[in-house]
Amino acid sequence: MTALRVYLAAARLAAEQLRREPDAWMVLATTPLQSLAIVTILQHTGRDDLVGIAIVGPGLMALVQVALFDAAEQLTVDRSRGVLEPLAATPAPLVALDLGRSTVVLLVALLGTVESLAVVHLATGGQSSVHHPAEAFLVLVATVWATAGFVLPCTALLLMTRATRALQNAIPWPLALVSGVLVPVALLPVWLQPVSPFLYLTHSAELLRATTRPEPVSDLWTGLAVILVSGAVALVAGVVSRDRVFARLRRTGGLSLT
Amino acid sequence: MDVRGLTRTFRRPGRPDRIALDAVELAVTVGTTHGLLGPNGAGKTTLCKILSTVLLPTSGEVRVLGHDAARDPRAVRSQIGIAFGGERGLYGRLTVEQNLRYWAALLGLGGRQARSRVALTMERFGLRDRARDRVETLSRGWKQRVHLARAVLGEPQLLILDEPTAGLDPVAARAVRQIVSDELAGTCTVLLTTHDLREAELLCSTVTVMGGGRVLAAGNPAELALTDRPTHTVVLATPAPAVVERLCASVRATAVEVSSGRTELRFTSSTDLQQGIAVLLSDGVVGFTVGEGSLEDYYVDLVGSRGVGE
């Protein structure tokens, strides 16, 4: 009950902060523009078969960027505002707090995918669409879950480093590349391909692209299972790493910057 | 609260460790208001952080309400309230009420209970009319009220207030002191840190004076002041080092250089004062001003060599 209460309170806090601090909405301005650029290039080169990338790629990139820049950074920002110590001194389960805040900002980022779909739909004269909306919905929900799990170890990592921005900038593009978000894994260099199946984003991207094609989505349930399990593993890793980081910060005095 | 042999050091790369707390002993009786006095760097805030479980001790034992703060922090956290104070520590873009509602949830309060507790607390602390103001628009004094309100939301058994009046103008400081004395004292155990001896004397039943990470004195503030503090002072108008030396050798007095060329003589009894004045007059020194000794003099004497930043 307490965990749920904290989760909801954290989600409410994040929603209020989003309303008053519009930085996180910026991603919704850039995502459709990226989709437009990609679909234009694909049409110009005659690769209409890859138009799904223009719908899925920028949306998933937006999710990863928001996960790293907004969700995972929240405790670091709390520390700079002098809020982390009072937070740590409450009996609240901080995992519920992290998840509550992450859920809200990730759901906002998800709107980017909807925007991408709309832009690509218009750019292709209505020829591109999501042919399997129910499957796409399931994949998106699973992807948000996995990304929320992925946020937890990243939160711990950002708390441990002062090179926050460098890390946040370094992770998204390589991750997107290796997981085939922007370029299908089959088109990547052969030596890079073995890494891709271990990343949940690979499965999210492939399944979401499949929902933009008329033929039935193959391996839907296997893909969903991989994404959900990846999220659970990331969640557990996040809880363990966060506990360790907090123990270390209590030892070093790093819960505050003064 | 029971602190025994508490030591806390901080590592500094390439330099010797900094000792923030050195074998500190402290016992606070349940239900009392205890003051921690000391200059910047005395170790007061470090001690508060250890008591509130956000910092681990290097060695020693810290028991809060019967629980080991290092080994059983969860048990401690559910029974304490903290106010570290200052401009930071709250969500500036959210309103007072939103901040308090959020913290109420973190303390395990939900629904109707949270709403009524927040409303009641805002009423107690005079925040009702500011409930919908963003915290970032409040003055420091009002922010301090929000800090205090947050600290008591969970009805804690131990309240840790770290310099609640630091940086406030006299009116705001008085308002905060009034809240502490009228609203908080007696409802729970209060640990209050301050630079201000007068504040400690007003609010605290017992005090511990700290300096350089050590406990320098402890006890009832009035008793401490009566036994050790200077009761009278004599400030010489012109330097007279030979006379001062002779006086200090024959009478119980301390000479302090208060500013360039100005010497203050401090006496701990009126008998010593009379004898001292007699020495001055007999040596032809007539330019001096007699005043009452202050708690501040006592405090400065006690922590003097362990002053700012050490």
Side-chain angles (χ1 to χ4, degrees):
Chain A
M1 185 63 186
T2 304
L4 178 63
R5 194 170 284 154
V6 170
Y7 175 87
L8 293 174
R12 218 168 24 240
L13 176 87
E16 276 302 327
Q17 284 180 318
L18 274 176
R19 199 163 70 84
R20 294 170 189 269
E21 299 173 19
D23 311 17
W25 298 95
M26 281 304 293
V27 75
L28 298 185
T30 55
T31 304
L33 296 177
Q34 289 171 354
S35 291
L36 192 59
I38 294 171
V39 78
T40 305
I41 293 168
L42 291 173
Q43 284 180 319
H44 183 72
T45 54
R47 293 301 306 264
D48 290 344
D49 57 316
L50 293 177
V51 156
I53 292 173
I55 301 172
V56 173
L60 288 181
M61 274 301 291
L63 200 65
V64 171
Q65 283 183 324
V66 165
L68 277 164
F69 280 86
D70 296 308
E73 200 189 37
Q74 298 197 68
L75 286 184
T76 308
V77 173
D78 279 349
R79 178 165 60 180
S80 67
R81 287 175 173 160
V83 180
L84 189 58
E85 277 188 337
L87 267 182
T90 67
L94 295 184
V95 172
L97 185 134
D98 284 348
L99 287 175
R101 291 159 83 173
S102 298
T103 304
V104 171
V105 291
L106 293 177
L107 286 175
V108 168
L110 211 54
L111 294 175
T113 302
V114 179
E115 288 181 319
S116 293
L117 175 63
V119 164
V120 174
H121 189 72
L122 286 173
T124 57
Q127 293 191 357
S128 288
S129 184
V130 174
H131 294 277
H132 307 283
E135 286 84 346
F137 177 77
L138 284 177
V139 175
L140 284 175
V141 170
T143 304
V144 168
W145 155 257
T147 308
F150 164 71
V151 164
L152 288 183
C154 292
T155 302
L157 190 65
L158 294 185
L159 271 175
M160 283 304 297
T161 177
R162 289 296 177 86
T164 310
R165 283 282 173 268
L167 264 176
Q168 287 168 320
N169 283 309
I171 295 173
W173 283 98
L175 183 63
L177 182 75
V178 178
S179 56
V181 166
L182 295 172
V183 179
V185 173
L187 302 180
L188 291 176
V190 176
W191 56 267
L192 205 52
Q193 292 180 14
V195 182
S196 304
F198 297 102
L199 302 169
Y200 77 91
L201 275 177
T202 305
H203 303 275
S204 298
E206 283 179 0
L207 288 175
L208 284 173
R209 277 196 296 267
T211 63
T212 65
R213 294 190 287 265
E215 57 269 28
V217 179
S218 60
D219 296 329
L220 173 70
W221 299 110
T222 310
L224 277 176
V226 171
I227 296 167
L228 291 171
V229 170
S230 299
V233 170
L235 191 78
V236 172
V239 171
V240 172
S241 60
R242 227 275 308 281
D243 281 354
R244 287 190 175 183
V245 166
F246 265 65
R248 186 185 160 93
L249 294 177
R250 283 178 74 211
R251 216 164 43 242
T252 60
L255 283 171
S256 75
L257 296 177
T258 54
Chain B
M1 189 193 313
D2 196 11
V3 175
R4 290 184 188 187
L6 175 62
T7 297
R8 172 69 213 198
T9 56
F10 288 98
R11 289 198 170 172
R12 298 188 295 185
R15 289 187 293 166
D17 290 354
R18 184 173 71 82
I19 301 172
L21 294 173
D22 188 4
V24 168
E25 305 274 335
L26 176 73
V28 178
T29 311
V30 171
T32 61
T33 299
H34 185 88
L36 273 182
L37 298 166
N40 293 335
K44 307 184 300 293
T45 298
T46 303
L47 179 53
C48 286
K49 288 183 178 184
I50 291 173
L51 290 168
S52 55
T53 77
V54 297
L55 188 64
L56 286 171
T58 304
S59 64
E61 191 181 3
V62 180
R63 297 194 79 79
V64 179
L65 300 161
H67 303 284
D68 189 317
R71 296 198 181 118
D72 193 8
R74 283 178 195 278
V76 174
R77 286 170 191 162
S78 61
Q79 299 184 67
I80 62 168
I82 58 169
F84 288 141
E87 292 285 340
R88 299 158 72 239
L90 296 163
Y91 293 101
R93 293 200 187 178
L94 302 189
T95 67
V96 170
E97 188 170 14
Q98 284 169 340
N99 266 281
L100 294 179
R101 288 285 297 277
Y102 174 64
W103 289 98
L106 298 191
L107 293 166
L109 302 171
R112 195 173 299 169
Q113 190 190 21
R115 277 195 297 278
S116 66
R117 186 78 64 82
V118 167
L120 188 70
T121 307
M122 288 196 298
E123 186 73 40
R124 278 175 73 193
F125 290 83
L127 288 164
R128 201 181 59 179
D129 292 340
R130 312 299 300 265
R132 296 197 174 172
D133 289 350
R134 284 188 193 190
V135 165
E136 67 186 2
T137 66
L138 301 180
S139 67
R140 194 174 173 125
W142 283 100
K143 279 182 188 152
Q144 197 58 48
R145 285 178 188 239
V146 182
H147 279 294
L148 292 173
R150 179 183 65 187
V152 303
L153 269 178
E155 296 185 339
Q157 292 184 50
L158 170 65
L159 194 55
I160 299 171
L161 309 178
D162 191 15
E163 299 185 5
T165 58
L168 300 188
D169 65 60
V171 176
R174 180 181 288 185
V176 168
R177 279 188 208 111
Q178 202 155 4
I179 287 172
V180 174
S181 65
D182 296 352
E183 296 289 337
L184 307 179
T187 61
C188 59
T189 308
V190 180
L191 182 72
L192 177 144
T193 78
T194 180
H195 298 292
D196 187 346
L197 264 175
R198 199 169 56 87
E199 182 171 285
E201 200 169 37
L202 279 171
L203 301 175
C204 305
S205 51
T206 51
V207 296
T208 297
V209 184
M210 296 184 70
R214 292 180 171 219
V215 172
L216 303 178
N220 176 309
E223 283 172 9
L224 276 178
L226 283 175
T227 53
D228 295 330
R229 87 171 211 228
T231 56
H232 296 86
T233 61
V234 170
V235 179
L236 303 184
T238 52
V243 179
V244 168
E245 194 176 328
R246 198 157 46 251
L247 186 147
C248 289
S250 59
V251 179
R252 280 195 303 164
T254 316
V256 179
E257 184 96 2
V258 288
S259 63
S260 174
R262 286 180 74 230
T263 303
E264 183 178 279
L265 295 163
R266 293 175 182 170
F267 300 90
T268 52
S269 73
S270 52
T271 312
D272 290 330
L273 172 71
Q274 285 170 9
Q275 289 175 1
I277 290 175
V279 171
L280 290 174
L281 293 174
S282 68
D283 280 334
V285 178
V286 292
F288 56 81
T289 313
V290 180
E292 288 198 357
S294 67
L295 284 167
E296 191 178 309
D297 295 333
Y298 164 73
Y299 175 74
V300 170
D301 283 349
L302 199 58
V303 302
S305 61
R306 300 172 176 87
V308 180
E310 289 191 26

